[in-house]
Amino acid sequence: MATPIKGAGLTKPGVVILQFIFLAFVAMIEIFFRSNVGFLTGFAIWACYYGGLTYGRAGTTYVAVVNPPIAFGLAVILLLPTVGGLSLSITRLGVDLISGLASVAPFLLTGALYGWWSYFKENKVLLTRSA
């Protein structure tokens, strides 16, 4: 499990904003050079899970686990038509979105498994302290 930082850490909105900006930046670079997302964005997804769990305050674990897939989806939907050079063709956007999701699916799944494991482990600790 990630060791929290000393000090206050990020709030829930801070975790969401930091994860979205980081994922969008890496996805933008990868879409610009490769015209779709791939392993670099996958590593950024892992970094978002780990960073959210490490740098967030106590109680931000749920947000740190739930947000990366949402941030990734929103970033890709916004970036493919703009940076990727695609028009607003719904069919082309759909095909590229599905292929992008397929290429980062292992990163999303393994990151989510680690994140949910951390979340349930933290909740177990919180529940045993209150009893």
Side-chain angles (χ1 to χ4, degrees), residues 85-100:
L86 303 175
S87 63
L88 288 177
S89 170
I90 298 297
T91 55
R92 179 74 178 161
L93 178 64
V95 168
D96 283 340
L97 182 62
I98 296 299
S99 68

Side-chain angles (χ1 to χ4, degrees), residues 19-49 68-69 71-77 79-80 99-111:
Q19 286 179 337
F20 176 75
I21 289 174
F22 181 67
L23 266 175
F25 179 72
V26 173
M28 180 182 65
I29 291 171
E30 197 164 25
I31 288 170
F32 182 74
F33 288 111
R34 292 190 52 219
S35 65
N36 208 340
V37 294
F39 71 94
L40 290 178
T41 306
F43 288 130
I45 289 169
W46 277 350
C48 283
Y49 276 113
F72 169 73
L74 184 61
V76 169
I77 288 172
L79 291 172
L80 279 176
S99 68
L101 282 171
S103 64
V104 297
F107 299 98
L108 284 170
L109 289 174
T110 54

